[in-house]
């Protein structure tokens, strides 16, 4: 009887081991975040623009915007994360986009807690971050990277650093200096850089 029980238990463990093991697939997707957008409308809304790629280049890269809502930024981000099967990779996030009604300090504190988000990430302002990220990219695969390129181009044209990277803004705030961020407006189905706008205007 004991021998039969041992055989049955071994069989159960073998089956459970097989069921729990995921085969390595060349079609596994990765979600590389190019931009995070923050809006406030009866609660926080966080939008992640993710470039979806196959781990072995098996699928054509495409950008997709995933949005979540919550009573704070962290809960909104957790809600959007539940909508996809793979974790969001934040280490390549190039832009934090602040929409209407957003408290900059809350975004700053959230970003600093995320180990993957680098301190050199750019910040920008718009009326509606979710709407802007859902437009079609012009010069790259993702709106976030397009905006980073526009900021760098504008800096080159004006011959100065806008000082709108996360570490620069934090340093300005600690010294009580005025903070201005590049403001982007949506015109029909396109967007463009408008001006440097004082934070809170």
């Amino acid at each position: 009887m004991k021998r039969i029980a041992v055989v049955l238990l071994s069989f159960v463990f073998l089956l459970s081991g097989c069921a729990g093991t995921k085969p390595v697939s060349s079609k596994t997707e990765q979600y590389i975040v190019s931009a995070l957008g923050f809006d406030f409308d009866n609660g926080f809304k966080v939008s992640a623009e993710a470039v979806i790629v196959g781990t072995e280049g098996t699928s054509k890269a495409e950008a997709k915007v995933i949005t979540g809502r919550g009573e704070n930024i962290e809960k909104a981000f957790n809600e959007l994360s539940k909508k996809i099967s793979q974790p969001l990779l934040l280490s390549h996030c190039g832009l934090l986009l602040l929409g209407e009604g957003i408290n900059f300090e809350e975004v700053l504190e959230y970003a600093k807690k995320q180990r993957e988000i680098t301190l050199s990430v750019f910040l920008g302002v718009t009326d509606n971050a979710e709407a802007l990220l859902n437009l079609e990219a012009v010069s790259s695969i993702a709106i976030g990277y397009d905006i980073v390129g526009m900021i760098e181009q504008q800096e080159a044209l004006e011959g100065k650093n806008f000082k709108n990277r996360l570490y620069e803004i934090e340093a300005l705030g600690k010294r009580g200096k005025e903070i201005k961020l590049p403001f982007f407006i949506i015109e029909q189905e396109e967007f463009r850089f408008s001006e440097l706008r004082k934070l809170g205007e």
Side-chain angles (χ1 to χ4, degrees):
M1 190 70 180
K2 287 183 180 178
R3 185 176 295 176
I4 293 171
V6 169
V7 170
L8 284 172
L9 282 172
S10 300
F11 186 66
V12 168
F13 283 128
L14 184 63
L15 283 178
S16 63
C18 290
T21 304
K22 285 186 178 180
V24 177
S25 171
S26 61
K27 294 183 179 180
T28 301
E29 293 176 328
Q30 289 186 331
Y31 288 72
I32 301 169
V33 175
S34 55
L36 286 175
F38 303 88
D39 294 294
F40 189 87
D41 179 20
N42 295 322
F44 287 92
K45 184 166 57 174
V46 178
S47 303
E49 182 188 38
V51 178
I52 307 168
V53 296
T55 53
E56 294 180 9
T58 53
S59 60
K60 186 179 179 181
E62 60 175 340
K64 179 180 181 180
V65 178
I66 309 124
T67 300
R69 291 177 175 270
E71 60 187 48
N72 57 46
I73 291 175
E74 187 171 355
K75 287 185 178 180
F77 184 82
N78 289 340
E79 188 62 33
L80 77 85
S81 297
K82 292 176 185 176
K83 296 181 179 180
I84 57 173
S85 59
Q86 301 293 335
L88 289 165
L89 306 176
L90 298 173
S91 56
H92 292 283
C93 181
L95 175 74
L96 302 180
L97 193 58
L98 312 180
E100 192 171 6
I102 278 294
N103 182 327
F104 167 70
E105 294 297 329
E106 290 184 85
V107 173
L108 180 66
E109 287 305 309
Y110 176 78
K112 284 164 58 180
K113 287 178 186 175
Q114 305 307 307
R115 293 180 181 177
E116 281 189 85
I117 297 177
T118 67
L119 292 176
S120 61
V121 65
F122 284 93
L123 279 89
V125 185
T126 188
D127 287 332
N128 187 324
E130 182 189 21
L132 198 158
L133 291 177
N134 272 293
L135 295 178
E136 190 173 340
V138 179
S139 59
S140 70
I141 195 170
I143 291 281
Y145 296 146
D146 276 2
I147 291 176
V148 168
M150 292 170 82
I151 291 170
E152 291 175 332
Q153 184 181 38
Q154 200 66 34
E155 286 180 339
L157 287 172
E158 297 199 13
K160 58 185 177 183
N161 182 352
F162 284 176
K163 295 192 182 303
N164 70 309
R165 291 178 184 264
L166 190 58
Y167 71 90
E168 293 172 324
I169 291 166
E170 188 179 15
L172 286 172
K174 285 180 178 177
R175 296 200 304 268
K177 301 285 186 180
E178 183 180 72
I179 297 172
K180 288 187 176 181
L181 295 178
F183 181 74
F184 294 88
I185 59 173
I186 300 171
E187 293 180 329
Q188 295 179 345
E189 297 299 315
E190 298 179 347
F191 68 97
R192 65 176 176 83
F193 169 79
S194 175
E195 60 184 341
L196 281 178
R197 180 168 289 192
K198 185 179 176 182
L199 202 58
E201 286 185 345

